């Protein structure tokens, strides 16, 4: 499942006949955790690798039990207490984890190690840097456990095995580790039963509004879907720049240019099966208020609900359906569209936007045309035909490349992509021109 984008709050826009939309752009994301424990296990330079791994594993098992038992004292005893930064981060991390509905939490030591170049000489000569897999599952929100790689430095202090650091010698996370927000900053959680909202202290003031908006959006999206969806969703809102900068593969390279971002959480690195989909809502989208906030929320929730059902379909259709569902609950007179859409619709329209570069310099026009194409299909062929087309283009997971979409479009809606694009452009002019 690909990342999905979400638009920024409105600036200049047209409403029907004179309104304006900000294209809703969606996209992706991910996250993770770290760990430690308690007993008097020594790590000697004479220990064989298998013995070292066993000692570290026992330490991490105790750390995981401390998380599950809510035992902060045991959790902290496994740390090198002379490193106040480490203790502060791990104390915060423990309190963050206690707020999450953890169904599973465990560690597994790998037989692979990080490069010794990542070690700080101040840790001493007898240090080991095994790669560690941490597994967690959010009860009611993840369909299966989620496993990721994390890193620690282990060594002896007064004969005891301890965690010396959760960072490399340069102070960063270990290579390839994509930290979860709860590893980076203090979080606050609002769990409404079906909506798990994760915030930082500055964004928590929005939590009641965001959770309420998401819950309402879930009900509205479920009423449109032709399949059953649990409606349980995890939403993030963060002001902390460190968290925002931690998201990888952000379309356009800057998450602050987006209004929201939907991302899959896979069961393990390289897996094709997602344990869940989550989305990030930017503070600017919350500040924009209604109807934009509800619209972008429904847009994102459509991607979350569809999960892998839209994998392999042309991007214009995946985004157009999300735009259609997002705008569906808004009074027609209040539905905004990008100002560029009217001028572009008056010119020559040469087909539906290509998937490659969809979120590039013409994204405002691409989103507008995709939305109006789906709006036209719903108005002239029936809303159910959108889902028929989704199934046909998804093709049982095989997908349909852009250059093979026309036969599918003609079979399902009786038009090819050029004909549909012209009708979508005409619809823009009829409503907004």
């Amino acid at each position: 499942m690909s990342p999905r984008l979400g638009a920024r709050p409105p600036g200049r826009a047209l409403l029907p006949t004179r309104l304006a939309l900000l294209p809703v752009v969606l996209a992706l994301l991910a996250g993770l955790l770290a760990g430690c424990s308690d007993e008097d296990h020594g790590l000697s330079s004479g220990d064989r690798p298998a013995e070292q791994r066993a000692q570290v594993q026992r330490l991490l098992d105790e750390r995981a039990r401390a998380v599950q038992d809510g035992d902060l004292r045991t959790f902290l005893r496994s740390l090198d207490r002379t490193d106040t930064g480490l203790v502060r981060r791990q104390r915060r991390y423990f309190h963050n984890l206690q707020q999450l509905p953890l169904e599973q939490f465990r560690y597994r030591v790998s037989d692979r190690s990080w490069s010794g170049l990542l070690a700080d000489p101040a840790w001493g000569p007898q240090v080991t840097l095994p790669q560690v897999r941490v597994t967690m599952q959010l009860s009611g929100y993840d369909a299966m456990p989620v496993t990721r790689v994390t890193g620690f430095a282990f060594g002896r202090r007064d004969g005891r095995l301890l965690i010396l650091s959760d960072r490399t010698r340069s102070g960063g996370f270990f290579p390839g580790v994509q930290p979860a927000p709860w590893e980076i900053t203090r979080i606050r959680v609002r769990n409404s039963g079906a909506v798990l909202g994760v915030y930082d202290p500055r964004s928590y003031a929005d939590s009641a509004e965001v959770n309420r908006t998401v819950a309402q959006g879930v009900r509205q999206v479920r009423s449109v879907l032709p399949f059953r969806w649990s409606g349980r969703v995890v939403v993030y809102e963060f002001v902390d720049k460190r968290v925002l900068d931690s998201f990888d593969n952000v379309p356009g390279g800057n998450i602050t240019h987006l209004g929201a971002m939907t991302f899959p959480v896979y069961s393990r690195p390289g897996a094709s099966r997602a344990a869940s989909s989550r989305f990030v809502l930017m503070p600017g989208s919350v500040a924009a208020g209604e109807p934009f906030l509800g619209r972008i929320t429904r847009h994102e929730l459509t991607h979350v609900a569809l999960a892998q059902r839209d994998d392999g379909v042309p991007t214009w259709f995946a985004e157009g359906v999300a735009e259609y569902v997002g705008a569906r609950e808004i009074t027609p007179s209040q539905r905004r569209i990008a100002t560029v859409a009217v001028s572009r619709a008056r010119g020559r329209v040469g087909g539906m936007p290509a998937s490659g570069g969809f979120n590039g310099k013409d994204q405002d026009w691409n989103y507008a045309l995709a939305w109006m194409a789906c709006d036209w299909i719903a108005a002239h062929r029936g809303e159910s035909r959108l889902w028929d087309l989704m199934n046909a283009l998804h093709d049982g997971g095989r997908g349909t490349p852009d250059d093979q979409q026309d036969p599918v479009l003609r079979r399902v809606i009786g038009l090819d992509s050029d004909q549909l694009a012209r009708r979508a452009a005409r619809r823009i002019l009829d409503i907004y021109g």
Side-chain angles (χ1 to χ4, degrees):
M1 185 168 81
S2 300
R4 307 296 187 188
L5 299 164
R8 281 184 291 183
R12 224 176 128 218
L14 292 178
L15 290 165
T17 305
R18 312 193 291 225
L19 296 168
L21 165 105
L22 287 174
V24 182
V25 192
L26 293 154
L28 137 112
L29 164 339
L32 224 332
L33 306 104
C36 128
S37 168
D38 162 47
E39 200 175 275
D40 194 356
H41 305 302
L43 187 64
S44 167
S45 59
D47 291 334
R48 292 191 297 272
E51 294 171 342
Q52 290 185 353
R53 287 197 303 273
Q55 293 165 13
V56 169
Q57 185 64 60
R58 287 195 293 271
L59 186 68
L60 292 176
D61 287 345
E62 291 162 0
R63 174 183 171 93
R65 284 195 297 272
V67 169
Q68 295 163 348
D69 296 341
D71 185 352
L72 176 62
R73 183 169 175 270
T74 296
F75 185 85
L76 294 180
R77 275 211 311 264
S78 60
L79 303 177
D80 176 7
R81 301 298 289 269
T82 65
D83 187 337
T84 57
L86 170 66
V87 174
R88 183 179 64 253
R89 288 192 302 271
Q90 291 299 306
R91 184 187 297 273
R92 180 188 67 199
Y93 177 60
F94 178 89
H95 287 304
N96 285 346
L97 292 180
Q98 296 306 301
Q99 298 180 66
L100 297 172
L102 293 178
E103 181 171 337
Q104 294 193 43
F105 186 83
R106 63 180 183 271
Y107 295 100
R108 184 60 55 196
V109 181
S110 167
D111 59 3
R112 302 179 61 186
S113 296
W114 302 106
S115 167
L117 296 176
L118 300 172
D120 190 328
W123 297 337
Q126 296 178 8
V127 173
T128 184
L129 304 173
Q131 293 188 17
V132 174
R133 294 185 179 274
V134 58
T135 297
M136 68 179 293
Q137 183 175 7
L138 298 181
S139 179
Y141 297 97
D142 293 334
M144 64 194 78
V146 176
T147 298
R148 293 293 181 267
V149 175
T150 190
F152 299 102
F154 298 88
R156 290 188 301 162
R157 292 291 184 265
D158 298 325
R160 294 185 64 238
L161 175 62
L162 297 172
I163 291 176
L164 305 183
S165 184
D166 57 357
R167 301 289 192 269
T168 66
R169 66 185 299 174
S170 64
F173 287 95
F174 282 75
V177 172
Q178 289 183 299
W182 39 86
E183 291 181 282
I184 299 171
T185 191
R186 180 188 170 203
I187 65 167
R188 297 192 65 182
V189 173
R190 182 180 288 270
N191 192 344
S192 306
V195 179
L196 182 68
V198 185
Y199 306 87
D200 60 26
R202 292 175 62 189
S203 64
Y204 189 73
D206 299 332
S207 64
E209 178 184 10
V210 170
N211 275 46
R212 182 172 59 249
T213 300
V214 175
Q216 181 181 46
V218 166
R219 292 191 294 270
Q220 293 166 335
V221 170
R222 288 177 73 176
S223 72
V224 186
L225 299 175
F227 55 85
R228 292 180 64 84
W229 171 47
S230 71
R232 300 179 70 85
V233 64
V234 179
V235 58
Y236 298 162
E237 186 199 350
F238 286 92
V239 176
D240 194 318
K241 188 175 184 298
R242 295 171 300 172
V243 176
L244 298 178
D245 288 345
S246 72
F247 293 124
D248 200 11
N249 299 321
V250 175
N254 191 336
I255 195 173
T256 61
H257 292 171
L258 308 178
M261 182 175 75
T262 298
F263 59 96
V265 178
Y266 292 104
S267 59
R268 56 182 173 78
S272 60
R273 189 177 181 190
S276 65
S277 294
R278 303 173 187 173
F279 77 93
V280 182
L281 193 59
M282 296 299 290
S285 296
V286 181
E290 297 295 349
F292 181 81
L293 176 58
R295 176 176 180 164
I296 196 172
T297 297
R298 289 187 294 273
H299 182 129
E300 301 292 346
L301 287 171
T302 302
H303 285 305
V304 171
L306 287 171
Q308 295 174 298
R309 288 180 174 87
D310 62 355
D311 281 5
V313 310
T315 301
W316 73 261
F317 186 64
E319 297 300 338
V321 167
E323 277 287 76
Y324 169 77
V325 175
R328 186 175 179 273
E329 299 294 327
I330 302 174
T331 303
S333 64
Q334 295 300 310
R335 295 176 186 172
R336 298 175 179 268
I337 199 166
T339 53
V340 69
V342 173
S343 60
R344 290 287 296 267
R346 291 193 178 108
R348 182 180 179 278
V349 179
M352 296 306 299
S355 295
F358 185 89
N359 292 301
K361 60 183 179 61
D362 292 326
Q363 67 179 23
D364 287 12
W365 164 244
N366 293 341
Y367 273 88
L369 191 67
W371 171 30
M372 285 294 106
C374 291
D375 195 66
W376 186 92
I377 293 171
H380 293 273
R381 297 291 189 267
E383 196 172 74
S384 64
R385 200 59 60 87
L386 288 172
W387 309 114
D388 294 339
L389 186 55
M390 179 73 74
N391 290 335
L393 291 170
H394 179 63
D395 192 21
R398 290 175 290 274
T400 303
D402 287 6
D403 61 1
Q404 297 177 29
Q405 65 181 315
D406 280 351
V408 180
L409 290 171
R410 282 193 290 266
R411 185 175 76 247
V412 178
I413 63 172
L415 302 173
D416 63 24
S417 56
D418 286 346
Q419 294 169 323
L420 178 60
R422 289 194 290 272
R423 282 163 174 77
R426 183 70 254 172
R427 191 162 182 81
I428 290 172
L429 296 177
D430 288 344
I431 299 173
Y432 299 95

